[in-house]
Amino acid sequence: MKVSLNWLKDYLDINLSKEAVSELLTAIGLEVEGMEEIESIKGGLKGIIVGQVKECGKHPGADRLSLTKVNIGGEEDLQIVCGAPNVAAGQNVVVATVGTILYDGEGNEFKIKKGKIRGEVSEGMICAEDELGLGDDHSGIIVLPENVEIGTKASDYYKIENDVVYEIGLTPNRSDATCHTGVAKDLAAALKINHDHSGRVEMPVVEGFSIDNNDLPIEVVVENTEACPRYSAVSIKNVTIKESPDWLKNRLNAIGVRPISNIVDITNFVLHELGQPLHAFDADQIKGGKVVVKTLPEGTIFKSLDEVDRKLTATDLMICDGESNGMCIGGVFGGINSGVTEKTTNIFLESAHFNPKWIRRSSTHHLLRTDAAMCFEKGSDPNVTVYALKRAAMLIKELGDGEIASEIIDVYPEVIEKARIEVSYANVNRLIGVEIPVSEVKAILDALEMEIVLESQSGFTVAVPTNKADVLREADVIEEILRIYGFNKVPISNQIRSAVTIGEKPDRQKVNNTISELLTASGFNEIMAVSLTESRYFNDVLPIDESELVFVNNTSNMHLDVMRPTMLLSGLEAILHNQNRQNLDLKFYEFGKAYHKKEDGYREDGHLTLFMTGLKNEENWLEEDRTQVDYFTLKAYVQNVLDRLGVLSYQESAIQDNIFSFGLKYHRGPKKLVTFGKVQTSILKKMEIKNPVFYAEFNWDVIINALKKHRIEVVELSKFPSIRRDLALVIDNSVNFQDIAEIANKTGKSILKDVNLFNVYENEEKLGKGKKSYAVSFIFQDPSKTLKDKEVEKIMNKLIETYEGKLGAVIRR
C-alpha cells in the first residue's frame, strides 16, 4: 500500500523528517518497505525562470525563427533563438536556462546548452506546455499574465509539489489502515502518547451537505443482506465530466493511481482517503429506475468493464437494474454499459458495506484484484458509508457542477454495533511483558478512539470502533495497546532459558545434508522446483488417473492447478529450461515431495531424485573423452548414495513401465528403496527434450525409516589374502546378472566377498540365437585364515553345477 506524506499532512500536523515518519510508521506496526521522493512534474521545473521578452525580431538566417532578448531578472538579458509563431515583445514567458534538464514525451532527458542556431548564439529556450510536462500543447510558447514578477521560479509560480511516498507492507488484519485517514489516526495516537502531540486529526467536513432537489429518485432493494449488510446511495444530476484539478491529480499520481476524469478520480480519492470503496453508475442506464442487490443464476454471462464475458457463479453478488441485468459485480468490478463515460450527465453513487468472504470469493474466482476488492476483503467499516457518500457527493458538486437530486438511500436492516471486549490489566502486563500504568493504558485507548464503557479495579470493557474488523479478542486489544505504547519500550530479558529436547533419530536434515554434500562434490547441482504443476501433463505426457491428482484453486497462476504426483516432470522442466539456453550437460538432484489423493484422504511422499543427461565429463583440452552418461553412470551414483548411508542389503528387480524404457528397482520386500533407469523417449519427445535422460527416484521416507534400525559396525581389515576366480557363462538373453549374483551369494555364503560382471559378449554366429556371454569374477576371503585352493574350487564347482542346472548356462572353458 502506498501512503503519501503530503496527503497525511492534509489531516495531521506532522513536523517530522521523512525518515522520522518512516521510523514511526514501522514502530506502530505499519512496516515501511520502501520510501520514494516524487515530484508532480518530472524534474520539478528546476532551472526554469519567468522572463520577459524585451526585443523580438526576425532571425537573419531563417525566416521562421525569431531572435529575442529576454530579461530573467539578471544583470544582462539573454539572447534566445525561438521558433514559436506566437512569440512577441512584451510577453511574460517561461525560460529554461542553460544547464536545465528537460524531458521529452517518452521521458528521455535532454540538457539545455548554450550554442549557435543558424549562426546566432542562443542562451536558453522559451518553453511550450508539453516541453515542461504541463500539458500537451505545442502550438506555441506559454504566455503568462503581465502581473507575474520577472525572475520568479517556475516551480513557485506553478506550485510544484514535492512529496514522499511510503510503501507499507500492510498485513491482511489491518482493515483500519487501508486509507490515509486511518494511517493518520494511528500516527496521531503514537505522537500523542510518545511525543506530546495534540493527537488531533482534521477529518473532512461534510456538514455542508444538502439536497438540491428530488428529481432523480432511484429505488434500492437488497435481496441478499448476508452479502450486503448495508447499502447507501444518492443520485446526482447535471454533472459535467471533465479533467480533475491539479491537487486531485497530484494526490492520485503520488500513490500510483492514474487520473481518468473528475468523477472517477473522486471515487478513487475517497477510497484512499477514507477506506470506503464507491461506485458511480450512469443513472440513465439503470433500467426501471431501480437497483436490486442479489445473486444471478449460475452460468449467467456478464460483460465487465474490460470487455471480457465472465461466467458468473451462484455466489457472485451482483448490482442489477430493475430488469435484473447485471451492472456490476458488487465490490469487485463494474460492467461495460453502466459506468461513467464522457456522455454521462446523471450519476447514481453507491457506497456499500459488503461481506468480506463474498468479495474475496468473487475477486479471486474472476482474477479481479481491484483496490476496492482488497479493501472490502480486509473488512470495511460498515458505519462510514453515509459519511463517505456525503464527502464524495460534495466533491462532485464542487468539481463536477452537479446537483444532489435525491435523498440519501440507506438500507441497513441490522445495525452493526461496536464489539465489546473485556480486558484485564493483569493480562495486559503479562502479554506485553512490562507493567504499564493504568492511566497510560487509558490514554492509549482514548488516543485510539476505543471507548472504555465499563471499568473495575482489575480491568475494563472497551468498545472497539467498527473500522477495526480484526480486533475481536482480549489479545487483539492488548496488541493495539502495545503498538502505541511502543515495542522498543519493552525491555529484553538478560536471562537465557533453554530446555533439553530429544530429537528424532536419524536427523532427517543431517541425512539430507550428508547426501547433498556427496552429490554436490560429484558434480550435481541441487534444484528446488515448485510443488505445483500443470494437470495437462498427466493427460498428455504421463497419464495418471485424475482421481489420484490433488487439484488446487490457484487464482494467481491458473495453469499450475495440481500438486505434483511425481517429481519427474519438475526435473524435466529444469532440463528443458537449460537445454533452451545451450546448457546440455546436466546433473541435477532434488529433495521434495509428491502428492496423491486416496480414498481416505491425501498422501505426501518424500523423495530424492537424480537427473543426468549429456556428457559424462566436461569438455577440456587435456582429455578428448566425449562419452555420454548412461544407465551405468546413474547406477554408480545410486549405489554411492546407498553406500554412504549404509543401506547395503536389498533385492533387485528389473522394471519397465510408463516412466522407464528400462531400469532397476532396489527394494526390501514390498518396500521400494529406489527405482532408476532411462526415461521413456515418448515422454522426452512430448517435453521437447532432445537428449536421453537418466532418472532415479529414491523413496526417501522408506530410506529414513530404514536408517532408524541401522547400526554401524566396525570390522577389522583382514590379514589374510583374497582369491579371485573368473567364469565365462553362455546364457539366454532372458537371464540377468542379478540371477547370477543371487545364486553366488547363497552358495558362497560368508567367504564370498564380491561378485562382479566385467564383460558382456554377444555374437549370434558363435554363441547361437538368443544367447550372450557374461564374464563374471568372484572374490573369496576368510577373515580367520588363509583359504586353500580346494576350498574355493569346491564352491566354484557347486556354482557351475547350479548355473548349468538352474540357468541352463554353458561354461566356456
Side-chain angles (χ1 to χ4, degrees):
M1 171 182 165
K2 293 182 184 294
V3 174
S4 157
L5 181 57
N6 285 345
W7 204 338
L8 290 175
K9 288 179 177 179
D10 290 343
Y11 320 109
L12 179 65
D13 181 19
I14 308 177
N15 293 314
L16 298 173
S17 68
K18 60 181 185 292
E19 292 81 9
V21 173
S22 176
E23 291 174 6
L24 187 57
L25 286 168
T26 299
I28 59 176
L30 299 174
E31 184 176 356
V32 175
E33 297 178 342
M35 179 172 63
E36 179 186 9
E37 291 190 59
I38 63 170
E39 299 160 327
S40 56
I41 294 178
K42 193 168 185 178
L45 299 185
K46 294 173 185 174
I48 315 293
I49 306 293
V50 174
Q52 187 177 62
V53 181
K54 306 298 289 185
E55 300 175 16
C56 181
K58 285 187 177 183
H59 189 292
D63 291 341
R64 297 180 64 181
L65 297 179
S66 299
L67 191 62
T68 67
K69 292 283 186 178
V70 182
N71 173 22
I72 61 169
E75 293 181 2
E76 295 182 4
D77 295 342
L78 302 179
Q79 178 171 294
I80 298 176
V81 176
C82 181
N86 65 326
V87 64
Q91 291 174 334
N92 283 355
V93 294
V94 181
V95 179
T97 57
V98 172
T100 299
I101 303 294
L102 295 179
Y103 299 87
D104 62 21
E106 297 179 354
N108 301 313
E109 65 176 46
F110 62 94
K111 190 174 185 179
I112 302 298
K113 299 177 181 178
K114 181 178 179 179
K116 287 187 176 182
I117 300 177
R118 298 290 179 92
E120 295 293 337
V121 173
S122 184
E123 301 174 290
M125 184 172 81
I126 304 174
C127 301
E129 274 189 4
D130 64 331
E131 291 165 334
L132 299 180
L134 296 170
D136 299 321
D137 187 9
H138 192 69
S139 60
I141 59 170
I142 299 170
V143 179
L144 300 178
E146 294 179 0
N147 60 353
V148 181
E149 186 178 346
I150 306 305
T152 301
K153 292 180 179 179
S155 57
D156 293 337
Y157 176 76
Y158 286 106
K159 296 182 175 59
I160 299 303
E161 187 178 77
N162 296 330
D163 199 355
V164 177
V165 175
Y166 302 97
E167 184 71 43
I168 292 176
L170 194 64
T171 52
N173 63 323
R174 292 304 307 276
S175 59
D176 58 325
T178 56
C179 58
H180 281 77
T181 54
V183 173
K185 287 180 179 180
D186 244 20
L187 283 173
L191 289 168
K192 182 177 183 180
I193 298 301
N194 300 306
H195 299 279
D196 297 323
H197 191 277
S198 67
R200 181 177 176 80
V201 176
E202 297 287 347
M203 293 295 288
V205 177
V206 297
E207 278 69 22
F209 175 86
S210 62
I211 298 167
D212 297 310
N213 54 65
N214 281 296
D215 295 346
L216 196 59
I218 293 178
E219 182 186 358
V220 174
V221 176
V222 179
E223 293 185 5
N224 190 329
T225 55
E226 177 196 350
C228 180
R230 186 175 191 181
Y231 192 93
S232 307
V234 71
S235 299
I236 306 170
K237 73 172 192 174
N238 296 333
V239 170
T240 302
I241 306 298
K242 56 186 177 181
E243 186 178 357
S244 297
D246 288 342
W247 71 265
L248 179 52
K249 290 191 292 185
N250 288 343
R251 289 289 179 266
L252 295 179
N253 278 322
I255 60 170
V257 177
R258 182 174 64 89
I260 297 173
S261 67
N262 54 349
I263 307 303
V264 176
D265 294 348
I266 287 168
T267 61
N268 284 328
F269 176 81
V270 173
L271 164 62
H272 291 283
E273 179 183 54
L274 302 176
Q276 174 59 49
L278 305 174
H279 192 82
F281 296 92
D282 187 328
D284 296 330
Q285 301 299 320
I286 302 175
K287 296 180 180 179
K290 183 177 181 180
V291 170
V292 183
V293 183
K294 64 178 183 178
T295 55
L296 292 174
E298 180 95 25
T300 300
I301 301 299
F302 170 70
K303 186 180 281 294
S304 53
L305 192 59
D306 54 1
E307 299 185 0
V308 174
D309 287 331
R310 302 182 183 276
K311 189 177 290 187
L312 300 178
T313 69
T315 56
D316 287 329
L317 183 69
M318 299 299 296
I319 313 301
C320 304
D321 61 21
E323 298 179 6
S324 293
N325 299 309
M327 300 188 296
C328 174
I329 302 176
V332 179
F333 208 55
I336 189 69
N337 296 319
S338 61
V340 173
T341 68
E342 294 178 355
K343 298 179 180 179
T344 299
T345 56
N346 299 320
I347 288 172
F348 178 75
L349 188 62
E350 166 195 284
S351 176
H353 171 65
F354 295 113
N355 187 313
K357 293 179 181 178
W358 284 70
I359 300 303
R360 170 78 177 174
R361 190 161 48 209
S362 293
S363 172
T364 54
H365 176 78
H366 294 290
L367 298 179
L368 293 169
R369 308 296 293 142
T370 59
D371 287 346
M374 288 189 283
C375 188
F376 277 128
E377 65 189 36
K378 283 182 173 67
S380 65
D381 184 355
N383 294 316
V384 79
T385 59
V386 171
Y387 174 68
L389 193 67
K390 289 180 178 179
R391 169 67 165 159
M394 291 174 69
L395 286 171
I396 291 173
K397 192 172 179 178
E398 176 188 346
L399 305 180
D401 309 318
E403 302 172 33
I404 298 174
S406 76
E407 299 287 340
I408 286 182
I409 301 159
D410 190 22
V411 181
Y412 197 12
E414 293 186 21
V415 176
I416 299 173
E417 303 287 352
K418 294 180 179 180
R420 297 196 170 200
I421 300 173
E422 295 181 3
V423 181
S424 75
Y425 292 117
N427 283 339
V428 171
N429 297 331
R430 179 179 63 83
L431 289 180
I432 292 177
V434 64
E435 189 166 333
I436 303 176
V438 171
S439 60
E440 189 167 0
V441 171
K442 291 180 180 179
I444 290 171
L445 292 172
D446 179 65
L448 288 170
E449 300 180 350
M450 299 173 73
E451 181 187 0
I452 295 176
V453 294
L454 191 64
E455 187 179 6
S456 67
Q457 281 192 333
S458 60
F460 56 88
T461 299
V462 65
V464 180
T466 48
N467 70 327
K468 295 182 181 290
D470 66 304
V471 181
L472 303 171
R473 306 165 301 162
E474 180 185 36
D476 298 329
V477 175
I478 295 171
E479 182 185 351
E480 292 293 288
I481 294 170
L482 174 58
R483 283 195 309 104
I484 304 305
Y485 175 75
F487 293 101
N488 293 337
K489 290 163 70 174
V490 178
I492 299 174
S493 175
N494 293 324
Q495 293 181 330
I496 298 177
R497 298 181 181 181
S498 63
V500 177
T501 59
I502 300 175
E504 185 180 359
K505 298 294 182 182
D507 186 320
R508 193 183 189 105
Q509 192 61 46
K510 286 184 178 179
V511 174
N512 288 7
N513 289 341
T514 298
I515 300 305
S516 290
E517 291 170 2
L518 172 70
L519 292 170
T520 301
S522 300
F524 281 78
N525 289 300
E526 184 174 8
I527 61 174
M528 296 181 184
V530 178
S531 294
L532 293 167
T533 189
E534 302 179 48
S535 60
R536 67 176 181 86
Y537 283 150
F538 309 106
N539 288 321
D540 306 336
V541 179
L542 182 62
I544 293 179
D545 194 303
E546 193 173 288
S547 63
E548 297 181 23
L549 300 179
V550 181
F551 286 90
V552 293
N553 182 22
N554 185 357
T555 56
S556 299
N557 295 284
M558 295 185 69
H559 63 292
L560 301 177
D561 59 344
V562 68
M563 303 294 287
R564 61 181 179 185
T566 173
M567 292 171 61
L568 170 66
L569 298 176
S570 302
L572 294 183
E573 285 180 329
I575 289 173
L576 178 63
H577 180 85
N578 280 270
Q579 172 192 282
N580 292 342
R581 288 155 182 79
Q582 305 303 310
N583 190 12
L584 304 179
D585 307 322
L586 305 168
K587 294 177 184 176
F588 290 150
Y589 71 93
E590 181 185 11
F591 290 99
K593 289 184 177 182
Y595 305 85
H596 301 272
K597 186 178 180 182
K598 298 296 179 183
E599 291 183 2
D600 57 346
Y602 300 93
R603 194 182 81 234
E604 299 180 14
D605 298 321
H607 293 287
L608 164 65
T609 55
L610 308 183
F611 297 85
M612 301 184 72
T613 184
L615 293 178
K616 184 182 293 187
N617 299 307
E618 292 185 5
E619 288 182 302
N620 64 81
W621 64 271
L622 189 59
E623 297 180 6
E624 295 183 3
D625 184 13
R626 302 283 295 172
T627 306
Q628 300 279 322
V629 297
D630 57 20
Y631 167 78
F632 295 103
T633 312
L634 178 64
K635 183 179 180 182
Y637 287 115
V638 168
Q639 290 179 330
N640 285 348
V641 170
L642 295 176
D643 289 348
R644 181 65 183 83
L645 296 175
V647 180
L648 304 175
S649 58
Y650 43 78
Q651 300 159 287
E652 299 179 9
S653 300
I655 55 170
Q656 186 176 3
D657 55 20
N658 61 341
I659 292 179
F660 299 106
S661 56
F662 61 85
L664 204 59
K665 174 175 71 173
Y666 292 166
H667 58 100
R668 290 178 173 176
K671 293 184 178 179
K672 181 174 65 178
L673 297 175
V674 59
T675 55
F676 59 94
K678 182 181 180 184
V679 178
Q680 292 273 11
T681 305
S682 60
I683 293 176
L684 301 181
K685 188 175 181 180
K686 291 172 183 175
M687 293 293 291
E688 299 182 0
I689 295 173
K690 301 171 183 177
N691 295 332
V693 175
F694 297 88
Y695 169 65
E697 182 180 274
F698 291 85
N699 192 334
W700 209 238
D701 294 334
V702 172
I703 288 176
I704 293 293
N705 286 329
L707 295 180
K708 292 179 180 178
K709 301 176 182 177
H710 178 62
R711 294 177 61 188
I712 298 174
E713 296 182 1
V714 179
V715 180
E716 184 181 358
L717 291 174
S718 178
K719 298 180 291 184
F720 303 101
S722 61
I723 297 176
R724 170 173 168 157
R725 293 288 186 269
D726 295 343
L727 281 182
L729 301 92
V730 178
I731 52 179
D732 292 336
N733 285 337
S734 60
V735 178
N736 296 317
F737 171 69
Q738 179 190 351
D739 302 323
I740 296 170
E742 284 182 358
I743 291 172
N745 287 323
K746 288 178 182 178
T747 306
K749 297 182 179 177
S750 60
I751 65 170
L752 179 64
K753 298 304 179 185
D754 188 36
V755 184
N756 182 49
L757 175 65
F758 65 87
N759 186 262
V760 177
Y761 176 69
E762 294 178 316
N763 188 317
E764 190 171 314
E765 291 182 6
K766 293 184 178 181
L767 300 178
K769 188 176 181 180
K771 297 291 185 178
K772 61 185 175 181
S773 175
Y774 275 6
V776 183
S777 66
F778 303 85
I779 305 295
F780 298 92
Q781 188 178 46
D782 190 323
S784 62
K785 64 179 182 178
T786 300
L787 286 172
K788 296 179 179 179
D789 285 343
K790 63 179 183 179
E791 292 178 276
V792 175
E793 293 303 325
K794 183 179 178 180
I795 294 174
M796 290 301 298
N797 290 333
K798 190 172 182 180
L799 281 173
I800 292 169
E801 182 183 339
T802 306
Y803 289 147
E804 289 175 337
K806 287 191 174 182
L807 303 181
V810 175
I811 308 302
R812 298 177 67 193
R813 302 182 187 277

